[in-house]
Amino acid sequence: MRKILVTGALGQIGSELTTELRRIYGANNVVASGRRLKEGHEKLIESGPFEIVDITNGKELHEMVKKHNINTIINLAAILSAVGEKYPEECWNINMNGLYNVLEVAREENCMVFTPSSIAAFGPTTPPDNTPQDTIQRPTTMYGVTKVAGELLCDYYFKKFGVDTRGVRFPGLISYETLPGGGTTDYAVHIYYDALKNKRYTSFIAKGTMMDMMYMPDALDAIIQLMEADPSKLIHRNAFNVTAMSFDPEMIAGSIRKFIPEFELEYDVDPVRQAIADSWPNSLDDSAAREEWGWDPKYDLNGMTKDMLEKLKIKLGL
Ligand code: AKB
């Protein structure tokens, strides 16, 4: 039976993943954790065990894992790309020292570990179109450096100590439940809020900038499917390319106009986030994930737009 610890459980992925894991594995078998309590998450906190855990404190993390007999750690605590450029030291500390502590506890307590990587693990010298699973990884952001180093560290713990580590390289994730916290792909979430509230959006990412994206239900499926995948089928582990769609701001605006014809898109490009986006691939080749564990996303751009607008309308009371 799985006993799961989710770190960063109140973040964009964690808040939805925890609910889904509790539905599948039982509420008491999924311990949600975060560095602090956050307003607006009362329902999640009350729906099962919740612990305040700082993953940069290895002793605290170890005690928590022992206290709840955890055998699976889903490590979602991380600083994203744009915030990472503002606070590189904190980004390194949480993303790398935190991951090191997670892997050490997993080694000692025999836990399986899922850690997301990102399209940020690639850089300007990576082939940008249909980016292969195994290719050049020379990222130019602190977040990207921690993601590629994290992939290597997870592979090391698997090969050296037999820790069952698994991960995917997530693209930009789009969801209506919890806002993303300081990434480069966040424009693709904000655009839906502003489309509904103001019928216009000012993009900080320039026209023509292609990036991979995915709707949250597919991202949750990716985590759970890979976690449950037969280990004998896994040639790769840390981390699999996964994608569901690739678009630029004009394309997502076009999709929104199918539902809100008067929607207008303007630009006020942020040079920091634009430089990050320019260093990332335009589109990933995710055939290894499809072949090794059956990855098969359900939402394309228009399917996602329809669902996002319907759900957000209810959430915003419009
Ligand atoms: C970010 O933009 O930093 C994240 C990511 C692609 O990892 N959404």
Side-chain angles (χ1 to χ4, degrees), residues 3-304:
K3 277 289 238 173
I4 304 172
L5 174 69
V6 182
T7 73
L10 303 185
Q12 190 199 10
I13 306 176
S15 58
E16 294 193 43
L17 181 68
T18 301
T19 306
E20 183 61 4
L21 293 174
R22 285 184 170 158
R23 189 185 67 74
I24 298 171
Y25 300 100
N28 286 328
N29 294 323
V30 181
V31 180
S33 71
R35 270 201 295 178
R36 55 184 162 269
L37 293 172
K38 282 190 202 161
E39 253 180 59
H41 291 283
E42 294 74 15
K43 224 172 117 193
L44 177 84
I45 290 167
E46 282 156 20
S47 70
F50 182 85
E51 299 276 5
I52 301 279
V53 181
D54 176 358
I55 61 162
T56 64
N57 183 335
K59 192 166 168 275
E60 195 177 292
L61 181 69
H62 200 159
E63 278 164 12
M64 206 53 62
V65 164
K66 278 170 82 168
K67 177 179 162 191
H68 291 278
N69 291 317
I70 297 296
N71 56 26
T72 304
I73 305 174
I74 301 185
N75 180 37
L76 302 178
I79 299 283
L80 297 184
S81 57
V83 174
E85 288 310 282
K86 228 170 155 184
Y87 307 107
E89 193 183 335
E90 199 186 346
C91 182
W92 178 268
N93 191 28
I94 293 178
N95 296 13
M96 283 317 299
N97 296 334
L99 175 61
Y100 176 78
N101 289 336
V102 165
L103 290 168
E104 267 300 287
V105 171
R107 178 176 71 79
E108 287 175 36
E109 300 301 327
N110 204 12
C111 299
M112 172 189 198
V113 177
F114 176 91
T115 309
S117 184
S118 160
I119 50 171
F122 298 115
T125 51
T126 301
D129 297 309
N130 212 22
T131 300
Q133 171 67 38
D134 300 306
T135 187
I136 300 163
Q137 290 183 266
R138 306 289 293 175
T140 47
T141 62
M142 179 54 94
Y143 176 63
V145 168
T146 67
K147 286 296 163 191
V148 76
E151 290 185 8
L152 294 173
L153 195 61
C154 288
D155 270 350
Y156 179 82
Y157 268 73
F158 171 64
K159 290 198 186 105
K160 178 94 175 170
F161 305 118
V163 177
D164 187 351
T165 55
R166 305 178 187 198
V168 295
R169 294 179 183 133
F170 272 134
L173 297 181
I174 292 144
S175 62
Y176 55 86
E177 186 85 32
T178 304
L179 281 169
T184 302
T185 56
D186 296 8
Y187 92 89
V189 178
H190 299 152
I191 195 169
Y192 287 111
Y193 281 78
D194 282 17
L196 281 170
K197 287 197 276 196
N198 311 319
K199 311 261 182 284
R200 57 171 59 233
Y201 177 68
T202 305
S203 173
F204 59 77
I205 291 295
K207 188 176 184 163
T209 310
M210 299 290 289
M211 283 188 278
D212 286 280
M213 301 279 176
M214 187 183 294
Y215 197 32
M216 189 58 83
D218 281 329
L220 304 186
D221 280 352
I223 296 173
I224 295 164
Q225 248 180 287
L226 178 55
M227 229 173 69
E228 294 298 348
D230 175 352
S232 70
K233 302 254 163 64
L234 300 181
I235 299 162
H236 298 87
R237 276 180 172 266
N238 302 287
F240 286 91
N241 284 2
V242 285
T243 186
M245 59 193 97
S246 169
F247 57 73
D248 88 318
E250 292 295 318
M251 290 161 79
I252 187 171
S255 179
I256 290 171
R257 278 189 205 108
K258 289 187 197 300
F259 304 91
I260 307 173
E262 64 275 38
F263 175 67
E264 282 178 34
L265 179 61
E266 294 161 336
Y267 292 90
D268 182 11
V269 173
D270 167 17
V272 174
R273 286 178 286 190
Q274 184 61 40
I276 297 174
D278 287 340
S279 77
W280 290 352
N282 300 327
S283 63
L284 297 188
D285 171 2
D286 60 4
S287 50
R290 290 174 185 269
E291 282 157 24
E292 292 175 41
W293 49 274
W295 165 240
D296 186 18
K298 310 217 169 21
Y299 286 90
D300 62 7
L301 176 54
N302 288 332
M304 172 176 80

